[in-house]
């Protein structure tokens, strides 16, 4: 297993640790959970950078990296919803978009079509991660800022999803349904 794939695997392993810490009731647990989430988020950038730079892109990485990202982000969003920091409707929008895009990518892959992430998708991802980290800190003075960044991320989640489908609608072959 190459280094980028090991980093992806580590990200997946960090998710249950993060979730466990979010529900622990000792002083500093949420701070530690935030640090774990931030480290896991950084591995997403790092594994992609190393894989592209050193030509270590693998089929496992193509499958596991986006899956690990979704598991990490969805876990954090569900935790933040369960403690009342963000509204459930927004998490439903984000998770629904992720399921739809993943399904779309599966259809494209079955036709040997690779669809690269767009700039809008990257803005969505970065804004989600920043918002989650700010909200996880549980610093009262940062809560409104975190919420504004979060709603910015929700907007880009919707926008990037629409853009994704419009640019790649041919994959669905709507004339043959």
């Amino acid at each position: 297993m190459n280094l980028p794939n090991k980093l992806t695997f580590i990200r997946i392993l960090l998710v249950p640790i993060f979730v466990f810490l979010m529900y622990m009731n000792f002083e500093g647990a949420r701070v530690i959970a935030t640090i774990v989430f931030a480290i896991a988020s950084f591995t997403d950038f790092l594994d992609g950078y190393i894989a592209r730079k050193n030509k270590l892109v693998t089929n496992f990485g193509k499958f596991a990296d986006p899956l690990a990202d979704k598991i990490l982000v969805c876990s954090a969003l569900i935790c933040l919803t369960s403690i009342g920091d963000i509204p459930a409707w927004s998490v439903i929008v984000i998770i629904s978009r992720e399921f739809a895009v993943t399904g779309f990518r599966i259809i494209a892959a079955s036709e040997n079509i690779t669809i690269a992430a767009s700039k809008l998708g990257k803005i969505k991802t970065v804004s989600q991660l920043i918002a989650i980290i700010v909200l996880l800190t549980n610093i009262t003075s940062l809560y409104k800022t975190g919420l504004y960044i979060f709603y910015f991320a929700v907007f880009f989640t919707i926008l990037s999803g629409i853009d994704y489908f419009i640019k790649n609608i041919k994959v669905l072959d709507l004339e043959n349904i």
Side-chain angles (χ1 to χ4, degrees):
M1 184 177 288
N2 67 29
L3 180 58
N5 290 342
K6 286 178 184 174
L7 290 169
T8 297
F9 191 66
I10 289 168
R11 185 163 61 259
I12 292 169
L13 293 177
L14 287 174
V15 171
I17 296 168
F18 160 74
V19 171
F20 176 76
L21 288 165
M22 283 297 293
Y23 293 102
M24 291 304 299
N25 195 16
F26 66 86
E27 191 170 331
R30 189 142 167 191
V31 172
I32 298 168
T34 303
I35 292 167
V36 170
F37 181 87
I39 290 168
S41 297
F42 182 69
T43 66
D44 180 31
F45 161 76
L46 194 57
D47 68 15
Y49 175 78
I50 293 169
R52 285 185 297 277
K53 182 180 180 216
N54 299 311
K55 296 182 172 79
L56 296 173
V57 176
T58 65
N59 285 336
F60 174 80
K62 288 178 189 177
F63 165 75
D65 180 64
L67 180 63
D69 300 342
K70 286 168 184 39
I71 292 169
L72 177 66
V73 169
C74 289
S75 297
L77 293 174
I78 292 167
C79 287
L80 287 168
T81 300
S82 75
I83 58 178
D85 284 1
I86 56 175
W89 69 263
S90 59
V91 176
I92 292 167
V93 167
I94 291 170
I95 292 173
S96 297
R97 185 259 189 213
E98 296 305 326
F99 273 115
V101 167
T102 298
F104 200 75
R105 279 201 162 129
I106 290 168
I107 293 168
S110 74
E111 300 294 323
N112 293 318
I113 299 169
T114 302
I115 303 172
S118 69
K119 285 189 180 197
L120 292 174
K122 291 181 183 192
I123 292 169
K124 175 223 37 133
T125 300
V126 170
S127 60
Q128 282 178 356
L129 295 175
I130 292 170
I132 290 168
I133 290 169
V134 172
L135 290 168
L136 286 174
T137 63
N138 202 27
I139 299 172
T140 307
S141 61
L142 292 178
Y143 178 76
K144 276 193 175 184
T145 302
L147 214 47
Y148 289 134
I149 298 167
F150 178 71
Y151 287 123
F152 176 85
V154 171
F155 172 76
F156 272 93
T157 297
I158 295 166
L159 186 62
S160 66
I162 292 168
D163 178 65
Y164 189 84
F165 283 95
I166 288 171
K167 286 183 177 172
N168 300 290
I169 194 75
K170 64 186 177 295
V171 170
L172 289 179
D173 191 20
L174 295 174
E175 293 178 13
N176 290 315
I177 55 173

